[in-house]
Amino acid sequence: MTKNLRNLYRQMILEYSENPHNFGEISNATDSIQMLNPTCGDVIKLSIVIENETIQAISFEGVGCTISKASASIMTDLVKGKSVVEAKELSQNFSNMITDAAEFNEQLLGDAAALEGVKEFPARIKCATLGWKALDKLIEEVK
Ligand code: ZN
């Protein structure tokens, strides 16, 4: 990765964290879950509206480090309006990228690809995956 790209990604992560997208409560949420990353102290509550197997609305609240907030912010942008099947595919791709476990589709991940560098910091991987794990829990039982 070039230095310029790294700087661009750092800027992008800061921006998503400082001005989080889809931040707040949803009054008509069909489901919600709170998840904690004790090693860092990140807490994320994710709320969702799923109708016709599609994520109609999604938002998050909580306190956490830059990486956990930026990742949840990007995740909510990515999966909003997507089908549950598409959201699961996105989550799997993100997991593959951040754990360096398998091939992933960088184009599919959009701005989430800015977080790839986190894989070099194992202690922070749980920060980046917290929001996505909350998403997994909320959609795993949707048929
Ligand atoms: Zn964190």
Side-chain angles (χ1 to χ4, degrees), residues 55-73:
I55 298 171
Q56 307 285 359
I58 185 164
S59 77
F60 77 102
E61 299 167 88
V63 287
C65 66
T66 300
I67 290 172
S68 68
K69 277 163 72 181
S71 188
S73 179

Side-chain angles (χ1 to χ4, degrees), residues 95-111:
S95 173
N96 288 350
M97 176 186 80
I98 210 84
T99 60
D100 216 2
E103 292 286 310
F104 62 94
N105 185 333
E106 188 172 348
Q107 252 169 348
L108 200 68
L109 286 174
D111 285 356

Side-chain angles (χ1 to χ4, degrees), residues 7-38:
N7 284 337
L8 176 71
Y9 280 174
R10 193 176 298 136
Q11 282 299 318
M12 205 190 281
I13 290 165
L14 278 176
E15 173 65 24
Y16 270 109
S17 171
E18 284 167 12
N19 301 298
H21 300 190
N22 311 301
F23 192 82
E25 265 186 296
I26 312 178
S27 58
N28 61 335
T30 51
D31 206 356
S32 68
I33 191 170
Q34 183 163 303
M35 302 270 292
L36 169 72
N37 171 23

